[in-house]
Amino acid sequence: MTDFRMPSLGADMEAGTLVEWRVKPGATVKRGDVVAVVETQKGAIEIEIFNEGLVSEIVVPVGGRVPVGTVLARLEGAAGAREPAAPPPLPPPAPPVSALPVTPGRPRISPAARRLAAARGIDIQRVAGTGPAGAITVADVEAVSPAPGAMPPQRPGFDPAAMRQAIAAAMSRSKREIPHYYLSQTVDASAALARLERMNRERPPPERLLPAALFLRATALAVAKTPELNGVWEDGRFRPGDGVHIGWAIALRGGGLVAPAIRNADRRPLDDLMAALRDLVLRARSFALRSSELSDPTITVTSLGDRGADAVLPIIYPPQVAMIGIGRIVTRPWVIDGTLGPRPIVAITLAGDHRASDGHRGGLLLAEIDRLLQEAETL
């Protein structure tokens, strides 16, 4: 007999409300199956199971609000554990962004329709598709859009004020418990931007790479070389990650943010990373994330983009031991071979946990990110 418990979806979660069971007693489940939906301050999250067996008992009924760690259901003949014996295989390359995304259990929907639904707060699960093979089109989303001037509906379970309180509690805990140190590196982004320009020259706008993909790729490769910064602090000791699973901070419309994981980011090519980023942003703003995406990050990156500040000093998200902040790219005077000239510059900042690492290792990480961005053709 194995207990299936309410998972922790981050340091800002203390309890969750069971809003849907997707299995019944007697059902057979396997690792990765979505078995329930739980409401948290982050909205409604699909909960995956990490064991195999037969559901023998549903302990918490729909509507029950229980603390993290509470037994939700019991399984017979369960096998497997949260941690696999070996790292999971590299996921297959993502389909082109222009293709209709197909995920088991999710409706087919065009990228433009998904973006429109996210912008208007529309749950795509409730939209009937009229496109090829039942795909949801822009017209389908328009048909269920609220009237002009109406407030877009919030996904059930999402309370921006509650999320803000939860974020504040997690950040207060972080500053209280984690001995932060900060390092910053100013990086010339010329080589990175030049590569993006060459790669995007023949691509339609929806398939073009953004600077975030290069920053993510360089960061992931650098983190793989500094394992002291990739993992979590639990039970008074550092536990290294089983891979480089980078949490990418995403601002939500209406307030708040989430940082779902891109698993094995150091093993994924640029196009795959760009597709993964776009997919995460769309699903995060549609409140369609899975529990593993919120619980798996081993390090988090916050990138301000071209609308942000020049630099950011991140606060580590516990139980992780490091966080990287990337400012916007700005044109600044820069000395090249003794000559002063304008260059696109970006500030990259590291917040490290002194219990797990020190400034020397943190400095090596930033230096490696810098080196990789200067050699952007190799990314």
Side-chain angles (χ1 to χ4, degrees):
M1 187 77 68
T2 297
D3 292 336
F4 170 56
R5 300 177 182 272
M6 175 69 77
S8 172
L9 305 179
D12 52 357
M13 177 180 172
E14 297 181 355
T17 301
L18 203 293
V19 297
E20 180 185 354
W21 277 110
R22 294 190 178 176
V23 294
K24 297 179 179 179
T28 300
V29 294
K30 62 182 183 300
R31 179 183 175 87
D33 284 351
V34 175
V35 297
V37 178
V38 169
E39 282 183 2
T40 73
Q41 296 95 337
K42 299 180 175 73
I45 307 298
E46 295 181 337
I47 306 299
E48 298 152 281
I49 198 164
F50 296 94
N51 299 96
E52 297 181 357
L54 187 74
V55 179
S56 62
E57 181 185 3
I58 298 295
V59 178
V60 176
V62 170
R65 180 173 175 79
V66 295
V68 169
T70 300
V71 176
L72 301 178
R74 291 190 171 93
L75 279 66
E76 292 181 357
R82 179 69 174 82
E83 296 291 340
L90 180 65
V97 176
S98 58
L100 294 180
V102 181
T103 303
R106 297 185 187 278
R108 292 170 60 92
I109 182 169
S110 72
R114 186 182 290 275
R115 285 193 291 272
L116 180 62
R120 298 190 179 180
I122 295 170
D123 182 1
I124 60 174
Q125 300 285 351
R126 302 180 185 277
V127 180
T130 61
I136 298 171
T137 66
V138 169
D140 298 326
V141 176
E142 291 279 7
V144 298
S145 296
M151 290 296 291
Q154 293 285 3
R155 175 72 177 263
F158 176 63
D159 182 343
M163 174 176 276
R164 179 56 55 198
Q165 292 175 352
I167 292 171
M171 296 302 95
S172 296
R173 171 190 164 191
S174 175
K175 296 298 286 185
R176 183 173 62 250
E177 298 179 1
I178 299 176
H180 285 63
Y181 67 85
Y182 288 98
L183 302 171
S184 183
Q185 183 91 359
T186 304
V187 176
D188 181 355
S190 299
L193 295 182
R195 184 180 185 199
L196 286 182
E197 183 180 0
R198 286 191 292 273
M199 294 183 71
N200 289 335
R201 197 168 291 151
E202 303 300 326
R203 298 179 182 218
E207 297 180 14
R208 289 175 184 167
L209 296 172
L210 300 177
L214 275 177
F215 290 143
L216 175 57
R217 172 83 171 144
T219 298
L221 292 174
V223 167
K225 291 188 175 182
T226 48
E228 303 95 328
L229 296 163
N230 184 59
V232 297
W233 187 269
E234 291 181 336
D235 300 323
R237 65 182 183 88
F238 174 69
R239 180 168 63 84
D242 63 353
V244 179
H245 312 318
I246 292 186
W248 191 265
I250 300 170
L252 302 178
R253 294 182 175 91
L257 75 160
V258 292
I262 299 175
R263 290 186 58 86
N264 300 305
D266 59 319
R267 297 162 55 192
R268 303 173 73 162
L270 278 174
D271 281 294
D272 192 17
L273 288 175
M274 188 71 255
L277 278 174
R278 285 194 170 108
D279 175 63
L280 277 185
V281 170
L282 288 171
R283 289 194 293 111
R285 292 175 177 171
S286 301
F287 303 99
L289 294 172
R290 288 192 169 193
S291 56
S292 61
E293 293 170 325
L294 293 173
S295 60
D296 278 358
T298 53
I299 186 172
T300 293
V301 173
T302 178
S303 177
L304 299 181
D306 58 3
R307 297 182 181 179
D310 291 357
V312 55
L313 297 177
I315 301 174
I316 299 169
Y317 188 73
Q320 298 167 37
V321 299
M323 187 169 180
I324 293 172
I326 302 174
R328 63 178 176 142
I329 300 173
V330 294
T331 301
R332 293 284 186 266
W334 196 258
V335 177
I336 310 113
D337 297 328
T339 302
L340 186 66
R343 286 278 174 148
I345 302 300
V346 62
I348 301 178
T349 306
L350 168 73
D353 183 340
H354 247 314
R355 297 173 300 181
S357 67
D358 53 37
H360 172 68
R361 297 300 294 173
L364 292 178
L365 171 64
L366 291 180
E368 181 65 9
I369 294 174
D370 189 352
R371 184 190 70 80
L372 289 166
L373 289 174
Q374 303 314 312
E375 301 173 3
E377 292 298 330
T378 66
L379 292 176

